[in-house]
Amino acid sequence: MLHIVLVAPEIPHNAGAAGRLALATGSRLHLVKPLGFSLDDKHVKRTGLDYWKDVDLHVWESFEELKAAADPAARYWYLSTKTTRAHWDADFKDGDYLVFGCETRGLPESVVQAAGDHGLRIPMVDGGTRSLNLSTAVAITLYEAVRQRSVVSN
């Protein structure tokens, strides 16, 4: 199983889309507070449609709480525009956590710097855009991990 982690997500549509992606890939979705919306928000449910109730969802008060509850051997990959290693250069394994920051600020630069080789970015052409939509970034990274692991059938 892969883990999708959204740290302080602000937009309910992105959480709903990430939930749908989690369900489609057999992944677990972790939301780390503060959330910029209520989980009862109609936008979260609308994006996840009738799937939301089936999402393997865990909500945490902090990222530290999530890490304390996780397998100590778990690996974390931190997605950011503030690093240079491409997401496809990671060697994803079962049990990995794909960690994404909030839509307006991303992950703190200190977290990304401390991640070293576990800091990843989705390559983009220079001057094309400053970042991708959060749920788009989740989809790109998650499906690269799925592709490497070849666990989802056609």
Side-chain angles (χ1 to χ4, degrees):
M1 170 188 297
L2 292 165
H3 299 266
I4 303 164
V5 181
L6 303 184
V7 178
E10 300 167 328
I11 301 172
H13 284 74
N14 287 327
R20 183 179 273 211
L21 288 163
L23 192 57
T25 59
S27 300
R28 179 171 291 155
L29 176 61
H30 302 268
L31 301 179
V32 178
K33 293 181 178 181
L35 307 181
F37 50 86
S38 163
L39 289 175
D40 295 328
D41 191 307
K42 66 181 178 181
H43 297 296
V44 173
K45 291 181 179 177
R46 184 180 311 148
T47 305
L49 295 173
D50 57 340
Y51 303 119
W52 191 245
K53 67 184 181 341
D54 298 319
V55 173
D56 185 357
L57 174 67
H58 294 254
V59 180
W60 304 95
E61 293 298 321
S62 68
F63 187 63
E64 291 73 23
E65 181 187 42
L66 179 156
K67 286 184 83 171
D71 180 343
R75 298 183 323 158
Y76 298 85
W77 299 97
Y78 299 89
L79 280 292
S80 174
T81 60
K82 302 172 188 114
T83 189
T84 58
R85 185 175 183 200
H87 70 290
W88 54 61
D89 290 334
D91 181 22
F92 295 110
K93 303 283 187 210
D94 191 48
D96 281 357
Y97 287 75
L98 309 176
V99 183
F100 301 85
C102 71
E103 291 88 342
T104 57
R105 295 177 308 281
L107 292 169
E109 195 163 339
S110 60
V111 170
V112 177
Q113 293 300 320
D117 285 348
H118 282 242
L120 303 175
R121 79 178 280 127
I122 298 168
M124 296 178 283
V125 297
D126 289 339
T129 183
R130 74 178 178 281
S131 64
L132 296 172
N133 173 277
L134 177 59
S135 60
T136 301
V138 170
I140 290 168
T141 309
L142 178 61
Y143 270 93
E144 173 59 20
V146 167
R147 183 194 69 78
Q148 287 184 19
R149 296 176 51 250
S150 300
V151 296
V152 175
S153 62
N154 296 353

